[in-house]
Every structure is written in structure tokens, then in C-alpha cells.
Amino acid sequence: MPLEIERKFLVLDDSWRNHVSESIRLRQGYLTPSLEHGKASVRVRVDGRQGHLNIKSVRLGIHRHEFEYVIPLDEANEMLDTLSSGPIIDKTRHRVPHGGHVWEVDEFHGDNEGLIVAEIELGSVDEAFEVPEWAGADVSYDPRYYNVSLVSHPFKDWAHACGSTEWDERDY
């Protein structure tokens, strides 16, 4: 069974921008209502060139079951426009090589403007990796940083809900 092993970090500054090897704008939406309901999230993503259907187990942590399939671009756009259960996540994904790995830095737009997170996919849970100087707190176990959570609890509302960008579990 396919397994995704991923660590997620907040980004401290813009020094990563000097090392970007590729950038692509992504739009994604969820066909399932939220992280709180069900055993899996079902996501449709469009990267401008093709569509993807992605199914991930709902589980906190650095490893989850994940299935991903390429689907026709026109069908992916139709699903985003007609079947998404909430707002569309809009972000630019930047690929940044560092320490023998390729980090994916997601710069969010729209309701999640101002949020920038870096992810690294690993081959095993205990695989060693070098954390870049521009990566801050590890938020791999914090559900508010999951894209499926950002649909119903966007970054723009965090400060409004609790007076700062610090998360309060009452907001989740």
C-alpha cells in the first residue's frame, strides 16, 4: 500500500527563494467535507498541465496512506468547480534542493495568504535529513497546517479568532 512519509516546517524567511529550481501554481479542492469526518480525504488538484485525484488517510503524523492518480485536466477542473466541498486552496509550490533532498515550499494565496510551509518527503520514518536554516518549527503533527484543514479554517481567520496567529484548539 502506498505510504507518504512527510515532515512539514514553518518557513522563517525568504532566503530559500535564491535556491528555487521550479515553481508551479496549484489549485486544489476537497470532495470530502473535512478532516474531522471520515477515514480519508479525497482531493482534486490542478497544476496547470494535468489533473490529479488524491486519496489520503486521515491521521495525524508524518506517515499516511496515500493514493494518487492522474486524471484528465478538463475533468479535474470540472470537479473543482462543481464538487469541491469548500473553498479552493490556491498556492504556489516551489521546489528547493537542499542537503540531498528536494523540499517543497508552499506559498499560499487567497484566504491563506501569508502562510508559507516547507515539506520534505522521506523514504522512511527514520531517514536522516538536513533542516535548512530557513526552516523553523516542525508542524508535522499540527492539524491546522494540513491543506484539508485550511479549507474550513483558513489562515486569515487565525488572528481574528484568537487575537494572534498562534493557534488555539478552541478555533479548530
Side-chain angles (χ1 to χ4, degrees):
M1 186 174 285
L3 192 64
E4 172 191 61
I5 301 169
E6 178 180 85
R7 300 282 297 270
K8 188 177 293 215
F9 296 80
L10 294 179
V11 173
L12 297 174
D13 59 44
D14 284 343
S15 60
W16 58 272
R17 291 185 189 278
N18 298 327
H19 307 286
V20 171
S21 64
E22 178 186 16
S23 297
I24 190 160
R25 190 75 175 245
L26 301 173
R27 287 183 19 177
Q28 66 187 46
Y30 290 86
L31 307 183
T32 53
S34 71
L35 185 66
E36 295 97 4
H37 306 294
K39 293 184 177 185
S41 68
V42 180
R43 175 186 77 205
V44 174
R45 175 182 285 163
V46 171
D47 68 9
R49 299 178 302 233
Q50 60 186 2
H52 299 269
L53 181 65
N54 176 281
I55 303 160
K56 281 188 187 183
S57 61
V58 174
R59 154 178 163 170
L60 292 177
I62 63 171
H63 62 82
R64 301 185 279 173
H65 295 293
E66 178 181 40
F67 304 88
E68 186 158 332
Y69 309 95
V70 174
I71 60 174
L73 183 60
D74 60 334
E75 291 180 19
N77 279 314
E78 181 73 17
M79 285 187 234
L80 281 174
D81 294 340
T82 62
L83 301 177
S84 291
S85 65
I88 302 297
I89 295 283
D90 181 15
K91 63 185 179 181
T92 301
R93 172 161 287 169
H94 307 278
R95 289 191 169 79
V96 182
H98 180 82
H101 289 88
V102 176
W103 288 72
E104 293 180 334
V105 178
D106 286 345
E107 183 175 13
F108 290 85
H109 311 290
D111 287 350
N112 293 297
E113 187 80 33
L115 179 60
I116 303 176
V117 296
E119 300 174 350
I120 182 172
E121 289 206 18
L122 304 170
S124 67
V125 173
D126 57 353
E127 180 179 344
F129 63 95
E130 181 182 324
V131 178
E133 61 283 348
W134 43 262
D138 184 338
V139 294
S140 302
Y141 292 92
D142 190 335
R144 69 189 166 142
Y145 293 99
Y146 291 17
N147 286 288
V148 68
S149 296
L150 291 170
V151 169
S152 55
H153 303 286
F155 187 67
K156 73 175 179 74
D157 293 343
W158 294 7
H160 174 72
C162 61
S164 75
T165 56
E166 292 299 314
W167 179 67
D168 184 325
E169 68 182 38
R170 295 171 299 192
D171 301 324
Y172 181 72

